Amino acid sequence: GERMRAKPGTKDYGALSVAVQYYAETEICLQVPPSSFRPRPAVDSVVIKLNIREKPTVLPLDEKIFFQVVRGAFSQRRKTLVNALSNTIKKLSKDELINILKELGIDLNIRGEQLSLAEFSAIADAIVLKSKNRENER
């Protein structure tokens, strides 16, 4: 439950957090103690209510690319964003990804867990536009 609600920069923030927050608002309704289960788990549990949004929090140009960027950013958590994305986004070179991050004012040493949904969307949009520009030049 905490992972679904996690904010950027926290240890619980990940691809699940981004995906859930993209589509829904989360609300913790009830804490469930370990004693409620057999066998007893080593963690507390929560009941979460998901309030589905009428439209996502951000509106990327291409939702598929948005989630590809999110998955890529979290696929190798110890790597910087540019290194993680260069292993995932094959449409662009590492230098092109670096230029995109620079143009967006995003620190090249940042890791995916520090980015907001809006920043993920901006990166995805820039990748889409860069890819389209490249195709138009051909």
Side-chain angles (χ1 to χ4, degrees), residues 2-19:
E2 293 300 328
R3 289 180 60 211
M4 289 182 194
R5 294 175 47 94
K7 299 294 180 212
T10 63
K11 70 178 182 74
D12 289 333
Y13 188 68
L16 175 66
S17 311
V18 173

Side-chain angles (χ1 to χ4, degrees), residues 118-131:
E119 290 168 315
F120 279 118
S121 184
I123 293 167
D125 288 353
I127 289 170
V128 167
L129 294 173
K130 184 76 160 177
S131 297

Side-chain angles (χ1 to χ4, degrees), residues 31 55 58:
Q31 297 280 341
K55 61 181 184 177
V58 294

Side-chain angles (χ1 to χ4, degrees), residues 96-106 126 130:
E96 289 172 313
L97 290 169
I98 288 170
N99 287 336
I100 285 172
L101 295 179
K102 284 181 180 178
E103 288 171 11
L104 294 172
I106 296 175
K130 184 76 160 177

